[in-house]
Each structure stands twice: as C-alpha cells, then as structure tokens.
Amino acid sequence: GAFGVSGRDFVDMATIESDSDGTVWSYGQSVLAGDVPSGACVRGVNYPGSGWRVKPIKSESGALQCECSYVVLSDLKGCNRIQQLRAL
C-alpha cells in the first residue's frame, strides 16, 4: 500500500469541458460500483470531488505555455501504520 496503509480502490466518474478561451476543465468524483470486490487488504476510497484547470497562457515569445491547477478532497479511510503501532 501507499503512505503506510493498505491498498485503495478508486472508482470514479469524470468529465472534461473547455471554455472559449481554451481553458480545459476536468472534474471527477467517486461513485459506488457493486461489481468492484472488496477485501481485507483493499479499501474503497470516497472522494467528493477533484479537478484540473489547464489554462493557456500567451507568452511574448510565442512558446506554448499553460497554467495548471489541481484540487482534490478525499477520505482514504482506515488508519496508518503509526496509529496501529501506537495502539499496541
């Protein structure tokens, strides 16, 4: 697993849209999926939402540039290894 915790399953739904100025927006959120198995070592992750904004930037040199922003809100569930060891 990552970050000292057991593995995680992410099942999400996402959309991509763009504005007339060329800015691209990507948004996703977790969804329930009954056909995704769960197990003792894998937990489902709930994230209410995450998204990207990729905005083109006009440069004086004419080089292709962009500004990227990413925001995520997640609940990884469970406790980490340090919390488990302290409980012993």
Side-chain angles (χ1 to χ4, degrees):
F3 306 108
V5 297
S6 59
R8 300 295 191 250
D9 278 335
F10 288 85
V11 180
D12 67 342
M13 177 176 60
T15 184
I16 299 174
E17 298 181 15
S18 61
D19 292 342
S20 59
D21 69 352
T23 299
V24 176
W25 299 88
S26 171
Y27 172 80
Q29 69 181 53
S30 60
V31 294
L32 297 175
D35 59 342
V36 176
S38 61
C41 295
V42 178
R43 298 180 76 105
V45 173
N46 175 34
Y47 68 98
S50 69
W52 286 92
R53 181 189 77 157
V54 181
K55 180 178 181 177
I57 298 173
K58 295 179 183 176
S59 68
E60 294 179 13
S61 67
L64 181 60
Q65 297 180 355
C66 65
E67 176 183 281
C68 297
S69 303
Y70 179 69
V71 177
V72 64
L73 176 62
S74 64
D75 176 4
L76 296 178
K77 300 180 183 176
C79 60
N80 63 37
R81 296 281 186 227
I82 294 171
Q83 290 170 321
Q84 290 173 348
L85 291 173
R86 286 183 181 160
L88 296 177

